Amino acid sequence: MVRINVRPSFAVRWLIPRLPDFVSRHPEIRPEVVTSTAAPEDVMESFDVAIRRGSIGWPSSMETDAFLEDEGLPVASPDLLRSRPISDPGSLAGHVLLYSRTRRDDWDAWSRLAGKARVPHQQMLQFDHLHFVMQAAIDGLGVALAPVSLLGHDLDDGRLAAPLPQWRLPLSRYYYGVSPGAAPESRAFIDWLSSTARAEMRLPPG
């Protein structure tokens, strides 16, 4: 068994959809996914591998390495964009902006990048986790600034569209950490994790 500690949104939007591939390659290893929003150094339950965004909050005893680059991209449902098109950053003024509690500053950072200040008192909706934000965007509640890593097949399958692909907010990379007492099978999971990220990570053309 390999016990993997991840944040809920990463589990739902990235890891779990890809786990069948790991299981098919390593049927002798049983992955156990445990979600937590705490920094790895504050997690109470034992784990073999942890995955978090950024290099802060890792115990000094853990081996860590970056494995996934990421960017934030405005996305919305095609139906919403047909009714209220977005042709430039200023077009966002007429839309509801969706964001998660843990990433409340992303829209301001993106607005600075795009050179267009957010409209004062613009309507915004907050959710606990990013996977709720993504679902809200799919359901047409507004525009999400989505990490490309968590978009999955939503763009390819037409559930979401990226009206401003040239305006991308650089985000902290994802890191994995291996516990000092990790099961030997953890190495197989880390190798799979890294190779999967390298093979699949691609950004919409700008």
Side-chain angles (χ1 to χ4, degrees):
M1 183 180 74
V2 174
R3 192 171 175 85
I4 309 149
N5 188 289
V6 295
R7 291 184 64 90
S9 293
F10 190 83
V12 171
R13 303 287 306 185
W14 197 95
L15 181 58
I16 292 174
R18 291 163 174 80
L19 270 184
D21 179 65
F22 175 77
V23 172
S24 68
R25 294 172 184 269
H26 300 280
E28 77 285 1
I29 302 176
R30 177 166 58 91
E32 182 175 321
V33 179
V34 179
T35 63
S36 171
T37 59
E41 62 186 1
D42 297 325
V43 172
M44 302 302 294
E45 296 181 88
S46 63
F47 59 83
D48 296 304
V49 179
I51 299 171
R52 292 292 190 278
R53 190 188 292 279
S55 58
I56 298 173
W58 295 94
S60 58
S61 60
M62 291 186 67
E63 168 199 345
T64 62
D65 199 4
F67 77 98
L68 185 60
E69 303 283 344
D70 211 358
E71 294 177 333
L73 189 66
V75 293
S77 73
D79 287 344
L80 180 64
L81 293 175
R82 278 190 288 270
S83 63
R84 281 181 285 166
I86 296 175
S87 58
D88 57 70
S91 303
L92 284 170
H95 287 269
V96 177
L97 303 184
L98 311 174
Y99 69 101
S100 72
R101 178 174 47 84
T102 56
R103 303 202 63 85
R104 63 178 71 243
D105 297 325
D106 280 1
W107 274 117
D108 286 331
W110 184 89
S111 297
R112 289 192 295 271
L113 178 72
K116 191 74 175 179
R118 260 198 316 113
V119 176
H121 311 299
Q122 182 168 8
Q123 187 176 358
M124 303 182 74
L125 288 178
Q126 175 182 290
F127 298 85
D128 279 348
H129 298 293
L130 270 169
H131 56 278
F132 297 151
V133 173
M134 308 286 284
Q135 188 59 51
I138 291 171
D139 291 337
L141 285 177
V143 182
L145 186 58
V148 173
S149 64
L150 304 187
L151 281 173
H153 297 294
D154 291 327
L155 292 176
D156 293 341
D157 295 343
R159 289 186 292 271
L160 290 171
L164 302 171
Q166 69 274 33
W167 298 107
R168 302 169 180 172
L169 177 68
L171 299 177
S172 299
R173 294 181 291 177
Y174 279 102
Y175 285 71
Y176 67 77
V178 182
S179 174
E185 292 80 8
S186 300
R187 180 49 55 187
F189 177 78
I190 290 301
D191 290 344
W192 170 84
L193 187 73
S194 299
S195 63
T196 300
R198 286 195 302 269
E200 293 193 1
M201 190 55 188
R202 66 191 193 282
L203 301 177

